[in-house]
């Protein structure tokens, strides 16, 4: 992914937050039987056994995910390197927001790409552990604290249809395009226009723009 210096995150915590907040990722791997690729949207989490992902090498992130074993993509999962794409808040920016001429429309967006070797995990306990870790992560981030203890037996019944995998990310790239290339007064107008829709993705972009301004120092103001 091409990431101009202007759009690079202030620190690794931005990348980690993006992964945790947008865990329905696009998994892309090459087709070992031909020139094409496979692409599947799958639930992906940071491996809780890998420790604090903000403490080590920012390029090395360990991910866990799972998919339906009936998906033809599953046969290609263990065939080499994978690309995992996390898409965060984004929105169209109309030139009317700039209040200046000439101008051109654009799209503010956020994304994280993780590349690395992918490994299929064992079908029984290792896969169950991934499913349980995924439930814990999602209930903590998006749920209501559901207790899965009474459903573990059901999990075991459906395990034959579930394929779990681990990806050792060796290259991580993050893009936070939040109108940083614009003068401060135009950035503020864009932020205000996004903030007018606080319940949607536009509101999330506005929140990120506020965070960027706080954490990037005087140059971002």
């Amino acid at each position: 992914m091409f990431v101009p210096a202007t759009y690079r995150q202030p620190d690794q915590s931005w990348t980690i937050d993006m992964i945790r907040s947008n865990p329905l990722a696009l998994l892309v791997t090459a087709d070992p039987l031909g020139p094409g690729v496979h692409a599947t949207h799958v639930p992906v989490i940071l491996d809780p056994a890998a420790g604090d992902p903000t403490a080590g090498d920012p390029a090395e992130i360990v991910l866990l995910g799972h998919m339906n074993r009936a998906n033809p993509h599953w046969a290609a999962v263990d065939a080499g390197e994978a690309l995992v794409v996390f898409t965060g808040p984004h929105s169209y920016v109309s030139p009317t927001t700039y209040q200046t001429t000439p101008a051109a429309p654009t799209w503010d967006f956020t994304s994280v790409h993780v590349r690395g070797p992918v490994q299929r995990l064992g079908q029984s306990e290792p896969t169950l552990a991934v499913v349980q870790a995924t439930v814990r992560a999602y209930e903590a981030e998006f749920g209501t604290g559901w207790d899965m203890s009474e459903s573990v037996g059901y999990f075991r019944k459906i395990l034959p249809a579930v394929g779990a995998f681990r990806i050792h990310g060796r290259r991580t790239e993050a893009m936070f395009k939040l109108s940083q290339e614009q003068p401060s007064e135009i950035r503020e107008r864009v932020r205000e226009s996004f903030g007018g829709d606080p319940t949607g993705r536009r509101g999330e972009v506005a929140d990120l723009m506020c965070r960027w301004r706080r954490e990037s120092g005087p140059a971002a103001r």
Side-chain angles (χ1 to χ4, degrees), residues 86-103:
F86 299 87
T87 301
H90 57 88
S91 185
Y92 174 71
V93 184
S94 171
T96 58
T97 307
Y98 298 152
Q99 300 178 18
T100 185
T101 301

Side-chain angles (χ1 to χ4, degrees), residues 47-102:
D47 185 351
D52 182 1
T54 65
D57 185 336
E60 295 189 1
I61 293 177
V62 183
L63 303 173
L64 297 174
H66 63 279
M67 68 168 62
N68 191 329
R69 294 175 67 92
N71 186 336
H73 191 172
W74 176 245
V77 162
D78 210 21
E81 185 175 87
L83 167 65
V84 187
V85 179
F86 299 87
T87 301
H90 57 88
S91 185
Y92 174 71
V93 184
S94 171
T96 58
T97 307
Y98 298 152
Q99 300 178 18
T100 185
T101 301

Side-chain angles (χ1 to χ4, degrees), residues 22-195:
N22 303 275
L24 184 62
L26 180 65
L27 174 69
V28 183
T29 63
D31 187 340
L33 301 179
V37 298
H38 292 275
T40 303
H41 286 90
V42 291
V44 176
I45 62 170
L46 293 156
D47 185 351
D52 182 1
T54 65
D57 185 336
E60 295 189 1
I61 293 177
V62 183
L63 303 173
L64 297 174
H66 63 279
M67 68 168 62
N68 191 329
R69 294 175 67 92
N71 186 336
H73 191 172
W74 176 245
V77 162
D78 210 21
E81 185 175 87
L83 167 65
V84 187
V85 179
F86 299 87
T87 301
H90 57 88
S91 185
Y92 174 71
V93 184
S94 171
T96 58
T97 307
Y98 298 152
Q99 300 178 18
T100 185
T101 301
T106 189
W107 203 287
D108 278 358
F109 70 94
T110 55
S111 181
V112 172
H113 288 194
V114 180
R115 296 177 184 269
V118 57
Q119 170 194 9
R120 287 191 290 191
L121 302 180
Q123 191 170 349
S124 55
E125 294 307 309
T127 295
L128 177 62
V130 170
V131 171
Q132 290 178 301
T134 302
V135 171
R136 293 188 194 100
Y138 289 0
E139 279 297 318
E141 186 75 21
F142 311 105
T144 57
W146 174 65
D147 183 355
M148 74 177 102
S149 58
E150 295 184 0
S151 296
V152 173
Y154 174 69
F155 289 176
R156 292 186 183 279
K157 288 182 180 179
I158 63 176
L159 278 184
V162 180
F165 57 86
R166 177 184 291 112
I167 294 173
H168 291 271
R170 297 293 183 243
R171 181 180 177 187
T172 300
E173 301 164 309
M175 178 91 156
F176 292 86
K177 183 179 180 296
L178 303 170
S179 294
Q180 298 97 323
E181 77 284 359
Q182 297 292 343
S184 59
E185 63 272 14
I186 292 182
R187 288 201 306 271
E188 184 60 18
R189 283 200 288 270
V190 174
R191 187 201 63 76
E192 289 178 351
S193 72
F194 288 164

